[in-house]
Amino acid sequence: MADAKTFFDLDQQKRIETAIAEAEKNTSGEIRVHIENNCTVDAVERAVKVFEQIKMHETKERNGVLVYLAVVDHKFAIVGDKGINDVVPNDFWDNIKTHMQSCFKEKEFTKGLCEGIIMAGNELKKHFPLQHDDKDELSNDVTFNHN
Ligand code: CA
Ligand code: CA
C-alpha cells in the first residue's frame, strides 16, 4: 500500500529536491512538493489549505508554487500564490499538469515531478526572473503529512 513517507525513497526525494534547486536557478519563484496519503476533497482546494499550513505565502513577491500529491487517492494539484495568479492566465499550469499526468499514468512519479518542476521554473522565469540578491525563501525539502 502506498504511503506518503515512503512513496519516494531517499534517492528519489533527493532527485526531486535537486530539480527544485535547478528550477529556482532561473526564477525568484519558490517551488515546494508536499505529499500525503489521502485527499477527500478537491485536490486544488486541499493544496490551497496545505499552502497556508506550510506558510508558503511567506515570499517577498508572493510567488510560491506548491505541487501537491495524494498518493493513496491518486490526486494532485499545482497551486501558485497571489503574485503569480495576478499575472498569469488561468490555464497557466495546464501543460505542466498534463505532462505530469502522462508520466504518472506510466508510474513514473519521480520523473513526472522532476520534469513538472523544471517546466514550472521555465514558465515562472518569464514573469519572475531570478534577482541578483536571490534567497532560498522556502526550503526545497519535500514535506509530508500523515493522514
Ligand atoms: Ca529564491
Ligand atoms: Ca526554494
Side-chain angles (χ1 to χ4, degrees):
M1 173 130 164
D3 179 72
K5 187 74 200 182
T6 53
F7 189 79
F8 295 101
D9 66 29
L10 287 179
D11 179 59
Q12 292 169 326
Q13 284 177 40
K14 195 41 92 202
R15 279 170 59 197
I16 295 165
E17 286 159 18
T18 302
I20 295 174
E22 204 55 44
E24 290 183 2
K25 280 184 188 163
N26 294 317
T27 177
S28 62
E30 291 283 336
I31 303 169
R32 294 200 82 168
V33 172
H34 185 88
I35 299 163
E36 60 186 2
N37 287 332
N38 302 106
C39 176
T40 51
V41 295
D42 177 66
V44 171
E45 196 182 308
R46 176 64 190 152
V48 167
K49 189 152 265 174
V50 170
F51 194 101
E52 285 165 21
Q53 279 171 357
I54 61 176
K55 300 194 188 316
M56 284 193 60
H57 53 271
E58 291 180 355
T59 57
K60 201 172 81 187
E61 296 184 84
R62 296 294 300 267
N63 56 3
V65 177
L66 177 63
V67 180
Y68 167 82
L69 202 61
V71 295
V72 174
D73 288 333
H74 303 292
K75 290 185 185 176
F76 84 104
I78 306 174
V79 294
D81 204 353
K82 191 179 175 310
I84 297 170
N85 294 337
D86 284 350
V87 295
V88 305
N90 284 334
D91 61 356
F92 188 64
W93 305 114
D94 285 2
N95 281 343
I96 300 174
K97 279 195 279 196
T98 304
H99 179 72
M100 287 173 67
Q101 191 89 63
S102 65
C103 293
F104 292 172
K105 279 211 181 91
E106 306 293 322
K107 309 256 178 251
E108 298 274 11
F109 294 100
T110 310
K111 178 173 180 266
L113 277 179
C114 290
E115 291 183 357
I117 288 162
I118 295 296
M119 288 169 79
N122 285 334
E123 288 303 316
L124 284 169
K125 82 173 170 198
K126 297 175 190 166
H127 302 277
F128 301 97
L130 190 72
Q131 303 296 309
H132 64 90
D133 58 348
D134 181 72
K135 291 190 190 73
D136 188 22
E137 294 175 288
L138 301 175
S139 158
N140 302 341
D141 295 352
V142 177
T143 54
F144 305 93
N145 248 10
H146 290 282
N147 61 355

